[in-house]
């Protein structure tokens, strides 16, 4: 029986994680849940899985949840402290880090420091502080298991092979809804159009990141840290069908790939059950029915976010954290119709251009760079980015 | 320094093996070579690699080779005894079994009994006597490394994963040159048309087997023995580009595949170097340039050989050996224009229909079934198969 904490239980990854726990009640038990705005769903989840603790954003939400769950013996806490309390719970074996954005960093680091295995869905944690996270995971001897389908694919394609034999990693990208849209039309893209992802059902932030290819950029940085491979040996292929989830090419020309239907349950389940696999109750891959898989190179002219991510990774230090923070502000501004779609990379590039990277020595230093970038990005927006 | 014996050094696999040895002279040394009709090439290879022993088909060829190599200190022997002498050479570490057809069985078994690791390209060995071969490999504790690109792919896709988690193996097949030819035209196929394989450069026998899909049938049986997976869990996908070399689907829906350019050097090198990989000097896979990969189900109506192979595997005993022998006679008869292309499955089916399978208890019993099937097949041809 593996005891799980789910940070971000009401998001897409959190919900799928709980579906798996429901499907395998003898293998997993939920000991803590944390959520953001969706208190209704959190309370429903708490009634079903009976965790010892739940955590929400602030005191007011905590009070509300406490009242709604007052017939149950569940502790309700809140804020960053609440998230840390959940992430470090003594009885927990594994923490599923599924919070969206920079907010995932601090509780994930706390879980690592408490010696918990991590199922990592929050890519920003590694983008911002990969060096610190990988070092801490090594010190604690814990397993850091990727949940992103691309990184789960690479993890599976590396199993049983020698790290020294890697020639390159190939991350696949659906290319998003604007894969074939001419550059001239990018400034007219609406939030509604950008939120309509062809293959994956995901939260808003990651859906916009998929449309700009920043999601793939964040994944390149994540892959660098998870698999200890330099930027120059990480390539991206556009693969609209999202069936080949990613690949590893070895020095003899052999390429090992992991494929599957585009459903997050498989990579989540693999992170939970590794090194075993769960017999998931879902349709297998039928390549004969799918018929064809296509591949092309990404267009960095139309999707400059991907190039910005490579630039951030190669410069290193605090620059990836700055890029990530500027991107979060830019995506929110785009969703609020404050900036156009084409303004997202423009804003990120401007913020990055005025940052002088420093070495990442502490989480606090990273958070400082993150805050600086958010302020700077909001200033640019207020100044009238067009 | 790994010391290699190459059985069948002048064939397609043998020649590629020697190219790899030439590329990595510090890693491999050739200690014995055996060949069939191509004495010129054998002598050239012997002068270059200076093996201790070479073996040819008969006394006459041995005499000729002995004269041509009389300035070198190379022992020349012949016949099945000569092959066995090479396969069991005391100083050899690994035997590359690249003889074509049923002739590979006896020397491969001899190599196993002498405790040699085997790089197995001769699929007929497992088709005929898989049970005995796998048992002997287990008893001797030797490694049986697949050279066929499909089996090398599965071997690589299984590495690091649990055998109990396998849902099915998926072997890919190019579909051969007649993939889209209407059934009515099959009786008019000429040997020249059948020998023009779109993707792979191979010997005549295997090229015809690819055109009938019997090659894939033999590979299904080979996969059953190599990977201990029942026939019902081995599927075939037609994949004309021959880039995905084969796949393994696991119980969680995850599919691990191995891909590469269609070049036998990669799987041969992997068998030689496993568990390491050789940095081969050849172009990597460029999926963006290839653009698309397609998949479809095999048409068992037009390609009945594949169904016959499944039938042979499911019946078991001596039936696969009989099927294999009938196929060898049928392919030779087709190449000699004695029977039409559509006569190949017809002949095999007739021979199989009049065989009563027995358990495979000894190699001699298998060879007896093989001889019986050849006689019976020739009788059917003489009787005027149309």
């Amino acid at each position: 029986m593996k005891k799980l904490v789910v940070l971000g239980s009401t998001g897409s990854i959190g919900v799928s994680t709980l579906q798996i726990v429901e499907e395998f009640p003898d293998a997993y038990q939920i000991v803590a849940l944390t959520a953001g705005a969706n208190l209704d769903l959190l309370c429903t989840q708490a009634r079903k899985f009976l965790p010892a603790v739940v955590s929400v954003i602030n005191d007011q939400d905590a009070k509300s949840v406490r009242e709604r769950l007052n017939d149950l013996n569940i502790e309700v806490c809140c804020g960053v402290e609440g998230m840390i309390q959940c992430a470090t719970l003594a009885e927990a074996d594994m923490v599923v880090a599924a919070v969206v954005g920079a907010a995932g960093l601090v509780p994930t680091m706390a879980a690592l420091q408490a010696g918990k295995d991590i199922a990592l869905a929050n890519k920003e944690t590694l983008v911002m502080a990969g060096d610190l996270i990988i070092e801490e995971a090594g010190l604690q001897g814990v397993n850091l298991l990727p949940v992103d389908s691309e990184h789960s694919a690479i993890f599976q394609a590396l199993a049983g092979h020698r790290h020294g034999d890697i020639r390159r990693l190939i991350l696949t990208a659906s290319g998003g809804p604007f894969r074939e849209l001419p550059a001239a039309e990018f400034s007219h893209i609406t939030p509604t159009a950008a939120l309509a992802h062809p293959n994956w059902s995901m939260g808003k932030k990651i859906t916009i990141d998929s449309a700009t290819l920043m999601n793939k950029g964040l994944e390149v940085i994540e892959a660098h840290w998870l698999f200890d491979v330099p930027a120059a040996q990480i390539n991206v292929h556009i693969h609209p069908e999202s069936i080949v989830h990613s690949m590893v090419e070895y020095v003899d020309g052999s390429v090992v790939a992991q494929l599957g239907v585009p459903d997050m349950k498989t990579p989540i389940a693999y992170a939970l059950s590794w090194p075993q696999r769960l017999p998931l109750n879902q349709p297998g891959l039928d390549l004969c029915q799918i018929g064809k898989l296509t591949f092309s190179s990404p267009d960095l002219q139309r999707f400059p976010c991907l190039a910005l991510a490579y630039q951030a990774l190669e410069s290193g230090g605090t620059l990836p954290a700055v890029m990530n923070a500027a991107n979060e502000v830019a995506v929110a501004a785009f969703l609020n119709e404050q900036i156009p779609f084409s303004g997202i990379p423009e804003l990120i590039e401007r913020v990055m251009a005025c940052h002088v990277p420093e070495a990442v020595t502490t989480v606090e230093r990273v958070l400082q760079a993150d805050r600086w970038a958010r302020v700077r990005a909001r200033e640019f927006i207020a100044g009238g980015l067009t």
Side-chain angles (χ1 to χ4, degrees), chain A residues 73 86 124 167-168 176 272-273 278 300 321 324 338 375:
Chain A
N73 183 24
C86 291
E124 291 83 356
R167 186 187 282 166
R168 59 175 175 149
L272 299 184
S273 65
L278 297 172
L300 299 183
N324 177 66
Q338 294 173 275
V375 170

Side-chain angles (χ1 to χ4, degrees), chain A residues 295-313:
Chain A
F295 302 89
S296 60
S297 298
D299 179 349
L300 299 183
Q301 299 299 316
R302 288 186 303 137
F303 298 99
C305 284
L306 183 55
L308 291 172
Y310 273 100
Q311 183 196 325
L313 175 55

Side-chain angles (χ1 to χ4, degrees), chain A residues 246-367:
Chain A
S246 279
M247 302 175 254
V248 179
E249 182 176 286
Y250 293 98
V251 291
D252 58 357
S254 186
V255 174
V256 179
Q258 189 264 349
L259 296 76
V261 293
D263 185 317
M264 285 306 297
K265 274 175 86 175
T266 303
I268 295 169
Y270 193 64
L272 299 184
S273 65
W274 176 87
Q276 302 186 40
R277 290 179 188 271
L278 297 172
L280 290 178
N281 181 19
Q282 65 174 30
L285 179 65
D286 186 345
L287 280 175
C288 297
Q289 206 222 312
I290 292 165
K292 73 173 181 194
L293 305 177
T294 63
F295 302 89
S296 60
S297 298
D299 179 349
L300 299 183
Q301 299 299 316
R302 288 186 303 137
F303 298 99
C305 284
L306 183 55
L308 291 172
Y310 273 100
Q311 183 196 325
L313 175 55
E314 272 156 10
S315 296
T318 45
L319 197 57
V322 163
M323 178 197 75
N324 177 66
N327 180 55
E328 288 192 23
V329 174
V331 170
F334 166 69
L335 289 172
N336 286 332
E337 305 189 28
Q338 294 173 275
I339 63 171
F341 188 80
S342 52
I344 298 173
E346 193 186 328
L347 179 60
I348 300 165
E349 189 172 10
R350 285 202 199 176
V351 175
M352 284 172 69
C354 57
H355 180 68
V356 182
E358 291 180 30
V360 168
T361 47
T362 62
V363 168
E364 186 39 49
R365 181 68 202 86
V366 173
L367 294 176

Side-chain angles (χ1 to χ4, degrees), chain A residues 224-238:
Chain A
H224 162 75
W225 290 113
L226 277 174
F227 306 117
D228 191 20
V229 170
Q233 284 168 251
I234 307 175
N235 294 166
V236 171
H237 283 7
I238 301 298

Side-chain angles (χ1 to χ4, degrees), chain A residues 39 64 68 99 134 168 218 231 243 249 253 282 296 331 379:
Chain A
L39 301 185
S64 158
R68 290 159 73 172
V99 171
I134 296 300
R168 59 175 175 149
L218 298 174
I243 297 297
E249 182 176 286
Q282 65 174 30
S296 60
V331 170
E379 285 169 4

Side-chain angles (χ1 to χ4, degrees), chain A residues 151-166:
Chain A
H151 302 86
S152 180
I154 290 173
F155 185 66
Q156 294 182 53
L158 287 171
H161 306 286
R162 293 152 40 104
H163 191 274
D165 287 340
I166 298 171

